Amino acid sequence: MPKSRLSVAAAVASVAAALVAGLVSWPGTGKAEAAPAPAPVSAPASAAAPGTFTHPGVTVSRGQLDFAREKVTAGAQPWKSAYDQMMGSKYASLSRTPKPRAVVECGSYSDPNYGCTDEREDAMAAYTTALAWYVTRDERYAKKSIELMDAWSATIKDHTNSNAPLQTGWAGSSWPRAAEIIKYTYDGNWSNSGRFATMLRNVYLPEVINGSNSNGNWELSMMEAAVGISVFLEDKASYDKAMATFRTRTAAYVYLASDGPLPKTAPKQNLDTREKIVKYWQGQGTFTTGLTQETCRDFTHTGYGLSAISHVAETSRIQGQDLYSTDVGERLRQGLGFQAKYELGEAPPASLCKGTVHRGLGPVTEVGFNALAGRLGHTMTNTQKLTERNRPAGSNNLFVAWETLTHAGNPR
């Protein structure tokens, strides 16, 4: 994470003409040359929000939850082992005591860490126990999820310090996943659901909706939170705004040869020369399809970005707009495949990150692999090998959790 908080950009201006998807069928290579700076990415003009929101509809749908439950009940693999992994984690504990704070203060690299870990883990526990409720129908888990959400909605007022936008994005990605499952599948009483919605609207959404000029994983995670929150709030204007920013940032995060000699850029960052772009891309001056803006930083942060792209695309699909068939899907497919190749151990060429990459992609491939290979039928050899090797995919303890359970081989 960057060592200083960068100013949050102003709201995205009125959106321009529809983004034309530049799809390529397989990895290509394009070397950066002394060329004019690329035109900034324009956000798509058409509204993204559905006429009526689908619930539960943040990353997982009711049909997907039913599929996972059926597989676990039947003892089928890899879902049963994924379920056992989840239920054995600290996030599924029924004795968990929430630790809310009025102000969560997170500095660079979570130093200081005043409530940062507690908030993220309580949000993840709320989602975990919501999933446990759905699979088991044991209402103790639903009540635990509600207890966690209620504790925070009664307490938190603000996020502060340099990592506040990212922290809000991470926690704000997990909260609506939990809330969607509980509100729309649990027939017990959640009397404070309105207060929880007010928390999301007043504490979380303002911190993330205007995006970030930091490394791309920041804005992608923030837009994941903004999209999920907008679904729960049924806020079409915020959904459209977040989705437009997401489309722009995704195009500026994963390079395709069809982009030209230089990567696309986010207009608000004013990366108007090759020198500025190369510096922002961690000093990488040779651009190959599937390379991300943070590949030469490390694969861990790259994994955060790719995971957020997959989560937003999945939510969008549930809400009726298939981003997997646009450049978003192609960038995700190529980004996963490019990183997977080196994560599996292939030595990078000297032209990539000076011949050295820092592996550690994390449990982030299931959602994208299932959508692109499973539903759309794309061949994704390296991503498939990595995904199957890593099953069951657990949690990254930030905002990714239990995706073998929810998405492996899930056709719904």
Side-chain angles (χ1 to χ4, degrees), residues 1 44 47 66 103 119 135 156 179 191 212 231 234 246 290 317 325 340 379 410:
M1 287 170 273
D66 285 341
V103 178
E119 180 188 30
V135 173
I156 190 167
S191 60
S212 168
V231 170
E234 297 195 331
F246 166 77
R317 185 189 69 87
S325 296
T379 299
N410 199 321

Side-chain angles (χ1 to χ4, degrees), residues 156-179:
I156 190 167
K157 302 299 181 185
D158 198 12
H159 296 86
T160 64
N161 215 317
S162 59
N163 267 25
L166 184 60
Q167 170 73 18
T168 310
W170 284 340
S173 295
S174 295
W175 286 130
R177 286 189 215 129

Side-chain angles (χ1 to χ4, degrees), residues 124-135:
M124 189 162 290
Y127 175 56
T128 301
T129 48
L131 286 174
W133 142 253
Y134 199 89
V135 173

Side-chain angles (χ1 to χ4, degrees), residues 54-357:
T54 297
H55 304 288
V58 177
T59 311
V60 289
S61 66
R62 186 184 292 270
Q64 290 172 314
L65 291 167
D66 285 341
F67 176 85
R69 184 170 186 256
E70 291 161 7
K71 292 297 186 182
V72 172
T73 301
Q77 298 296 353
W79 303 275
K80 181 58 167 60
S81 61
Y83 168 78
D84 290 342
Q85 177 192 47
M86 179 183 80
M87 297 303 286
S89 75
K90 62 183 178 181
Y91 300 115
S93 173
L94 289 170
S95 63
R96 185 179 190 87
T97 300
K99 298 179 180 179
R101 285 177 179 253
V103 178
V104 174
E105 181 180 355
C106 305
S108 178
Y109 297 95
S110 292
D111 183 16
N113 182 340
Y114 298 137
C116 315
T117 301
D118 292 337
E119 180 188 30
R120 293 194 305 267
E121 293 192 347
D122 277 353
M124 189 162 290
Y127 175 56
T128 301
T129 48
L131 286 174
W133 142 253
Y134 199 89
V135 173
T136 65
R137 293 302 197 270
D138 182 340
E139 70 172 355
R140 292 179 301 165
Y141 290 103
K143 289 179 177 179
K144 177 57 66 174
S145 184
I146 289 170
E147 178 190 349
L148 291 159
M149 291 188 283
D150 282 355
W152 281 89
S153 70
T155 307
I156 190 167
K157 302 299 181 185
D158 198 12
H159 296 86
T160 64
N161 215 317
S162 59
N163 267 25
L166 184 60
Q167 170 73 18
T168 310
W170 284 340
S173 295
S174 295
W175 286 130
R177 286 189 215 129
E180 283 279 300
I181 294 172
I182 295 300
K183 183 174 181 179
Y184 293 100
T185 73
Y186 176 57
D187 58 7
N189 182 37
W190 184 17
S191 60
N192 291 315
S193 63
R195 188 179 71 194
F196 184 83
T198 298
M199 176 194 78
L200 292 181
R201 182 176 297 282
N202 294 341
V203 179
Y204 288 81
L205 191 57
E207 187 70 45
V208 297
I209 192 64
N210 291 323
S212 168
N213 286 336
S214 187
N215 282 300
N217 82 87
W218 278 50
E219 187 160 83
L220 289 166
S221 290
M222 291 163 71
M223 290 310 105
E224 178 187 344
V227 166
I229 289 168
S230 297
V231 170
F232 185 73
L233 298 178
E234 297 195 331
D235 183 338
K236 294 182 181 181
S238 293
Y239 187 96
D240 285 345
K241 182 176 180 179
M243 196 63 75
T245 302
F246 166 77
R247 294 289 297 271
T248 299
R249 177 58 67 179
T250 298
Y253 192 71
V254 184
Y255 174 80
L256 298 178
S258 57
D259 293 337
L262 293 173
K264 293 181 180 294
T265 63
K268 61 187 178 182
Q269 291 191 267
N270 297 312
L271 299 175
D272 54 3
T273 67
R274 183 184 187 280
E275 181 182 15
K276 290 180 181 178
I277 292 170
V278 170
K279 181 178 180 180
Y280 185 60
W281 281 63
Q282 319 297 326
Q284 178 69 13
T286 300
F287 300 102
T288 304
T289 288
L291 180 79
T292 79
Q293 182 257 315
E294 296 185 275
T295 296
C296 293
R297 181 187 187 189
D298 58 60
F299 281 18
T300 300
H301 287 87
T302 296
Y304 299 164
L306 293 174
S307 181
I309 292 171
S310 70
H311 292 164
V312 175
E314 193 72 356
T315 297
S316 179
R317 185 189 69 87
I318 295 167
Q319 299 305 325
Q321 184 185 45
D322 181 15
L323 293 182
Y324 289 118
S325 296
T326 72
D327 76 300
V328 171
E330 184 66 5
R331 291 178 196 279
L332 178 60
R333 181 170 77 94
Q334 300 292 358
L336 288 172
F338 185 87
Q339 265 60 224
K341 177 171 61 174
Y342 299 110
E343 183 75 6
L344 288 166
E346 181 169 321
S351 60
L352 175 63
C353 311
K354 299 179 181 179
T356 301
V357 293

Side-chain angles (χ1 to χ4, degrees), residues 352-371:
L352 175 63
C353 311
K354 299 179 181 179
T356 301
V357 293
H358 302 283
R359 298 175 176 86
L361 195 62
V364 303
T365 62
E366 287 279 17
V367 175
F369 175 70
N370 181 60

